Amino acid sequence: MANAEHKNLSSADERRTFEKGKLELINIGGGTVGRLTLEPGRRWSKHVKPIAKTEWCEAPHFQYQVSGRLRVKMEDGAEFDLGAGDVSVLPKGHDAWVVGNEPVVLVDWYGASNYAKK
């Protein structure tokens, strides 16, 4: 039987900052959970693409959106909005940007460990 574990994202094991955003990661239960905070005006293709050096975000995501509005554009042209309370699965090949003046906060159970990795 596995041992019980608990951690708080406010005491992250790793922090990454990038223009108009930050990522806090914890390693727990053999996996990684990340909290992304994205500021108004932030867009993956403008602010993270130069770090990732790929045309589209190649990190898949399985995430819960805590706050804010996020517009997602998939490589195939599909577009949709996400808001507080939404759970989404995004395969690789997407762009996303903050809509409005409220920061977007996401909790990501899959893909966060590769996000904005230098």
Side-chain angles (χ1 to χ4, degrees):
M1 181 177 209
N3 293 327
E5 291 182 69
H6 64 93
K7 290 187 172 184
N8 190 301
L9 282 161
S10 296
S11 300
D13 295 320
E14 181 182 352
R15 288 185 170 79
R16 297 179 194 157
T17 58
F18 44 89
E19 189 175 353
K20 294 190 177 280
K22 66 180 178 180
L23 171 63
E24 298 153 300
L25 293 166
I26 57 171
N27 300 307
I28 188 165
T32 303
V33 177
R35 177 172 57 193
L36 282 153
T37 302
L38 310 172
E39 298 298 328
R42 183 264 179 207
R43 184 172 182 146
W44 184 90
S45 58
K46 181 177 179 184
H47 299 105
V48 183
K49 181 178 178 177
I51 297 167
K53 296 182 172 84
T54 59
E55 190 61 31
W56 297 90
C57 180
E58 296 296 318
H61 302 284
F62 176 39
Q63 58 196 10
Y64 170 75
Q65 190 155 329
V66 177
S67 64
R69 302 267 333 143
L70 191 68
R71 181 78 173 169
V72 177
K73 181 176 183 178
M74 301 303 298
E75 190 173 12
D76 68 5
E79 290 190 38
F80 52 91
D81 290 333
L82 299 171
D86 285 341
V87 175
S88 59
V89 175
L90 301 178
K92 68 179 188 169
H94 59 273
D95 188 9
W97 57 95
V98 176
V99 175
N101 296 320
E102 181 183 0
V104 167
V105 177
L106 298 158
V107 177
D108 193 335
W109 285 272
Y110 186 80
S113 62
N114 292 318
Y115 194 89
K117 195 171 192 175
K118 293 182 181 181

